[in-house]
Amino acid sequence: MYVAVKGGEKAIDAAHRLLSEGRRGDPSVPEITTEQISEQLALAVDRVMNEGSLYDRGLASLAVKQARGDLTEAIFLVRAARTTLARFGYTEPANTSAMLIRRRVSAAFKDIPGGQILGPTFDYTHRLLDAGFDRTSPSLVPETPSSEIPKVLAMLGQEGLIEQPQASGTAPGDVTQEPASFPMPRDQRLQTLARGDEGFLLSLAYSTQRGFGRTHPFAGEIRLGEVEIEFTPVELGFPVVIGEVTLTECEMINQFIGSADVPPQFTRGYGLGFGHCERKVMSMALVDRSLRADELGEERVAPAQDEEFVISHCDNVQATGFVEHLKLPHYVDFQSELILLRKLRAEANVMQEAAE
Amino acid sequence: MTDAAFATPAHDSARSFRPILDAMANPGKIYSFKPAVQAPAGLGPEAAAVALVLCDFQSPIWLERSLRMAEILQYIRFHTGAPITNSKPEAMFAFIDATRAVPSLTDFPMGTQEYPDRSVTLVIKAERLTANPDVTFKGPGIQSTRGFSAPHLSPAFWSSMIASRTGFPLGMDVIFVGSHQVAALPRSTQISIDGAV
Amino acid sequence: MDTVSFNRQSWMRLLALSSWSDLKECAGYLALVTCEIIRPPETGLVMLRGRIGGTGSAFNMGEATVTRCAVRSAKSHEGHAYIMGRNHEHAKIAAICDAVMQDDNCSARIESLVLLPLQKILVERRKVAAQKAAATKVDFFTLVRGEND
């Protein structure tokens, strides 16, 4: 017999009130505003936009505040918010070559046209905790920017030393609209990785460096900056710029291959994300390259090369839903297991007594 | 020249959605439907509201010939973003003015075994919907049986609706709109023409 | 009639790239222009696309909020706006501006009062950002090892 259990409304209501109280914290401490979160915890907001798969700083900041800084919870809130909005359509592909560069580095070439632009990076900080980090430092001396900052990998491409991305011209698949099936085309894999959990992708990327599916990578180019986005409304019939977004892009150069038809050349992995998110896009590029094992005729030996494993487990909203649902009542399921176990033990006892 | 549609889209579309939802849950029951919407004369406010509420850029719309007027095409494209198709098999929605002509239903998609939802929803404009038992409905959402009638819908139409049910869960769903009225006929409803179910 | 240097795409771009505070400052008074609203400001989503390897096949990278609005001016010009974000007033003023810019009797005045100031702000904002980035450009110098001398 199945017995549905109801109740707990009062307890849930009180728990929500306690959550609210905890979220506010000590009332003598000023309340943080979403603008402060957006401006001063910008990278947390970027992560929520990325994995929430929704570019909107205001909503992501609100989510961070509402989730008390639990970014996975904030990402969940953003994913839920997006389902309440109608989709108007698809934009034109962002042109990262025309990015207004704030940071651009290459680990493969020292001298590149446009130069190595370090931008706002933690890379050369000493990682010393310093309570006075926000003291006003002397303002930056502006320099004349380079007129052109070309893509580093395009220069290698001119010599034929690296594979060139081919544009298929067909509309890409959309994992938010179609159920996933394997093998999954690279466009849909990249969409899934772009919204995938940074920690999961980071660990997988790390595993490829440690020998679990060797990719032998060089950071060909990492760039951060603003890109204008164009959209073609049906009623206008021509593309219009609807705004600009901050993007981070990583183009990874990977070990060379060759075949009977193609002379040895470098291959590439690609990462692109919302906001400033280098760790994420570097991990994405490494995992993207690992997942091309079948396409490039490599033996699949490591977790990072297993498409179904990576793609099915990289979404932290799915993952947290399935893991955390274990907290919810499973009274009936557990009762049935208890009954079964007691029955088995009773049978075992009977058999043992009979044997004695 | 583009007509306006809902004045306050969020509220107006939610208010229009509710009777459509109720109609779909209670097949054949006629609901009052007075959407606050501007619409081209040929389309009418009821059919226009159905398009605005249910259609978007991912739902190709097929229009019966008498509805393919410039102002209707422009209105649907602008306010829903839906592509207009002349190919019945591509249609996810088909708008039909029963007072003018009812097309053959044979080429509309009925879904696939994997995705029965990839099928057409017919939106049929009639003058007046009544509970006269021209046909009788039975099935989920109906206590016993429910009579339904709409002028201009011939026995041939009802026969083809009955025929479309043989491959359930494949099939097609219908939304009827009359003047200030809406009713629906989901594929799960059984139909009999002579009253004997 | 004066000729204007903006075309429709370029003024729509500028209206979308301008911040709300700048747009309000330069074009806020356009809210008073009598227009028929054919689509009230409405917030929805667009799916942003990138290209594999920067130049290859397109892929869907994630969505963004966008607000659109459409109006018709007294002279029957249809003004449209699609602006990233959720600011309804921004979209409405951009749509009105789009409509009046299509009116040859108004366009020169709107250009000098609205578009040129906004253009100047945008250019300046980008210049400052680029100059700050350029300040972080590495000047390499190589230590001479002396073996070849």
Side-chain angles (χ1 to χ4, degrees):
Chain A
M1 187 173 77
Y2 178 78
V3 184
V5 180
K6 289 185 75 173
E9 291 93 338
K10 261 179 74 184
I12 290 170
D13 195 37
H16 287 170
R17 267 182 261 169
L18 193 57
L19 169 67
S20 235
E21 211 178 289
R23 172 162 46 217
R24 178 59 185 88
D26 182 347
S28 69
V29 176
E31 185 180 341
I32 193 169
T33 67
T34 52
E35 290 77 16
Q36 288 169 337
I37 293 170
S38 175
E39 291 298 313
Q40 296 169 38
L41 298 177
L43 301 187
V45 173
D46 286 348
R47 179 162 183 186
V48 172
M49 292 201 300
N50 247 306
E51 294 168 38
S53 202
L54 181 64
Y55 197 100
D56 186 313
R57 296 201 71 80
L59 289 180
S61 304
L62 176 62
V64 170
K65 181 175 173 179
Q66 191 179 329
R68 309 178 68 187
D70 178 341
L71 297 191
T72 305
E73 181 71 21
I75 288 158
F76 199 158
L77 291 172
V78 167
R79 290 272 185 95
R82 80 161 267 285
T83 65
T84 66
L85 294 167
R87 174 93 68 85
F88 295 157
Y90 294 87
T91 70
E92 305 298 320
N95 179 7
T96 53
S97 304
M99 183 183 275
L100 300 155
I101 300 281
R102 283 195 288 130
R103 168 166 163 79
R104 183 267 203 145
V105 292
S106 171
F109 296 99
K110 178 169 69 71
D111 296 306
I112 44 177
Q116 307 271 358
I117 300 164
L118 301 184
T121 179
F122 291 122
D123 287 354
Y124 308 99
T125 62
H126 293 136
R127 267 75 183 216
L128 296 175
L129 269 178
D130 175 8
F133 68 81
D134 56 354
R135 67 178 160 250
T136 45
S137 52
S139 56
L140 226 52
V141 182
E143 297 275 349
T144 312
S146 307
S147 55
E148 253 189 278
I149 307 180
K151 286 293 195 75
V152 173
L153 270 67
M155 301 189 304
L156 269 179
Q158 283 159 11
E159 276 188 76
L161 295 174
I162 193 162
E163 60 170 338
Q164 284 306 298
Q166 304 299 320
S168 71
T170 56
D174 186 345
V175 299
T176 66
Q177 305 296 313
E178 301 288 330
S181 65
F182 301 103
M184 183 180 266
R186 192 176 174 199
D187 55 1
Q188 290 178 44
R189 286 200 308 250
L190 282 168
Q191 184 184 8
T192 311
L193 297 178
R195 56 203 262 128
D197 183 77
E198 177 174 312
F200 180 78
L201 296 182
L202 174 67
S203 296
L204 280 174
Y206 180 42
S207 74
T208 68
Q209 290 181 279
R210 292 193 66 255
F212 290 84
R214 201 164 59 94
T215 50
H216 199 65
F218 292 92
E221 182 173 0
I222 293 165
R223 50 171 61 195
L224 158 72
E226 281 64 46
V227 178
E228 293 181 10
I229 299 297
E230 285 187 326
F231 175 69
T232 304
V234 279
E235 61 271 23
L236 293 178
F238 57 85
V240 290
V241 172
I242 57 170
E244 63 184 1
V245 293
T246 303
L247 298 178
T248 309
E249 182 186 48
C250 173
E251 297 208 69
M252 210 58 96
I253 302 172
N254 297 90
Q255 69 186 163
F256 47 87
I257 54 154
S259 68
D261 315 318
V262 185
Q265 60 175 358
F266 290 113
T267 57
R268 33 208 295 184
Y270 188 67
L272 184 66
F274 291 155
H276 189 179
C277 54
E278 278 168 52
R279 189 183 303 117
K280 168 68 182 276
V281 294
M282 291 177 77
S283 304
M284 179 176 168
L286 289 172
V287 175
D288 168 48
R289 175 61 185 80
S290 291
L291 292 178
R292 295 179 64 202
D294 286 356
E295 176 199 343
L296 296 171
E298 295 164 340
E299 196 189 351
R300 286 208 223 174
V301 292
Q305 294 169 315
D306 185 331
E307 177 182 76
E308 192 167 348
F309 175 78
V310 173
I311 295 298
S312 306
H313 299 111
C314 70
D315 190 291
N316 57 21
V317 177
Q318 281 175 14
T320 204
F322 207 42
V323 169
E324 290 202 64
H325 99 283
L326 293 173
K327 293 183 290 195
L328 302 176
H330 284 66
Y331 307 138
V332 176
D333 309 48
F334 188 68
Q335 276 305 315
S336 73
E337 303 241 334
L338 258 186
I339 291 165
L340 179 64
L341 186 62
R342 287 196 176 117
K343 192 174 151 219
L344 289 173
R345 285 172 64 95
E347 283 168 10
N349 279 345
V350 169
M351 278 164 64
Q352 202 175 0
E353 278 165 21
E356 280 165 11
Chain B
M1 190 151 129
T2 314
D3 284 295
F6 287 135
T8 52
H11 296 119
D12 293 337
S13 60
R15 277 191 206 106
S16 297
F17 180 70
R18 187 72 217 188
I20 299 171
L21 178 69
D22 287 339
M24 205 46 103
N26 297 279
K29 190 169 171 187
I30 296 156
Y31 285 83
S32 166
F33 191 42
K34 297 174 182 173
V37 66
Q38 287 190 51
L43 188 60
E46 296 86 3
V50 171
L52 294 173
V53 168
L54 298 182
C55 302
D56 68 8
F57 73 104
Q58 288 173 313
S59 53
I61 293 177
W62 183 94
L63 294 168
E64 190 268 314
R65 194 178 304 276
S66 66
L67 295 171
R68 287 183 212 164
M69 294 183 276
E71 63 267 32
I72 294 178
L73 297 175
Q74 162 82 356
Y75 180 91
I76 286 179
R77 278 203 199 97
F78 179 72
H79 289 294
T80 70
I84 309 281
T85 178
N86 289 324
S87 153
K88 285 183 185 175
E90 281 177 17
M92 283 187 63
F93 285 87
F95 283 74
I96 293 161
D97 184 349
T99 63
R100 312 288 286 271
V102 178
S104 153
L105 305 180
T106 42
D107 290 331
F108 287 115
M110 311 267 273
T112 63
Q113 287 294 343
E114 292 81 9
Y115 300 103
D117 56 304
R118 292 181 183 172
S119 55
V120 76
T121 299
L122 307 176
V123 181
I124 298 179
K125 231 167 95 72
E127 273 165 7
R128 180 128 202 93
L129 312 176
T130 66
N132 295 342
D134 279 5
V135 285
T136 308
F137 296 159
K138 184 185 168 185
I142 302 171
Q143 185 102 46
S144 54
T145 59
R146 187 172 284 143
F148 183 78
S149 169
H152 307 290
L153 291 179
S154 63
F157 168 81
W158 292 112
S159 298
S160 57
M161 287 311 296
I162 291 169
S164 76
R165 273 149 173 73
T166 51
F168 187 84
L170 308 194
M172 50 180 76
D173 309 295
V174 188
I175 296 169
F176 298 99
V177 290
S179 172
H180 295 169
Q181 294 173 307
V182 64
L185 176 61
R187 69 189 70 181
S188 55
T189 303
Q190 298 154 41
I191 306 165
S192 67
I193 299 184
D194 54 3
V197 178
Chain C
M1 185 186 99
D2 299 306
T3 52
V4 295
S5 55
F6 285 85
N7 62 30
R8 193 162 180 210
Q9 268 171 306
S10 68
W11 76 59
M12 290 181 93
R13 166 180 174 273
L14 186 59
L15 294 166
L17 291 174
S18 295
S19 73
W20 167 234
S21 59
D22 293 335
L23 186 74
K24 195 168 57 174
E25 175 97 25
C26 298
Y29 68 96
L30 288 178
L32 304 172
V33 173
T34 313
C35 275
E36 183 197 352
I37 304 281
I38 47 183
R39 173 152 55 208
E42 173 190 16
T43 298
L45 301 172
V46 289
M47 175 59 89
L48 302 185
R49 283 179 169 164
R51 288 192 180 280
I52 301 173
T55 54
S57 297
F59 71 98
N60 294 309
M61 63 173 302
E63 288 162 312
T65 51
V66 63
T67 301
R68 64 182 179 183
C69 179
V71 300
R72 181 161 39 235
S73 69
K75 293 193 177 163
S76 288
H77 292 110
E78 278 187 16
H80 295 267
Y82 278 77
I83 314 282
M84 279 184 62
R86 288 169 287 123
N87 189 325
H88 285 202
E89 281 301 298
H90 190 139
K92 190 174 163 190
I93 285 180
I96 294 171
C97 192
D98 180 45
V100 293
M101 276 303 291
Q102 294 170 56
D103 181 347
D104 292 339
N105 293 321
C106 302
S107 56
R109 195 152 43 93
I110 300 294
E111 180 182 77
S112 67
L113 289 175
V114 176
L115 300 181
L116 290 173
L118 287 177
Q119 169 101 316
K120 202 174 150 207
I121 292 167
L122 177 67
V123 168
E124 182 61 21
R125 184 177 87 204
R126 290 187 164 178
K127 194 176 96 184
V128 169
Q131 285 175 337
K132 283 185 180 175
T136 69
K137 189 153 105 180
V138 181
D139 270 331
F140 285 109
F141 53 91
T142 311
L143 296 178
V144 178
R145 287 195 232 179
E147 284 165 25
N148 296 336
D149 288 316

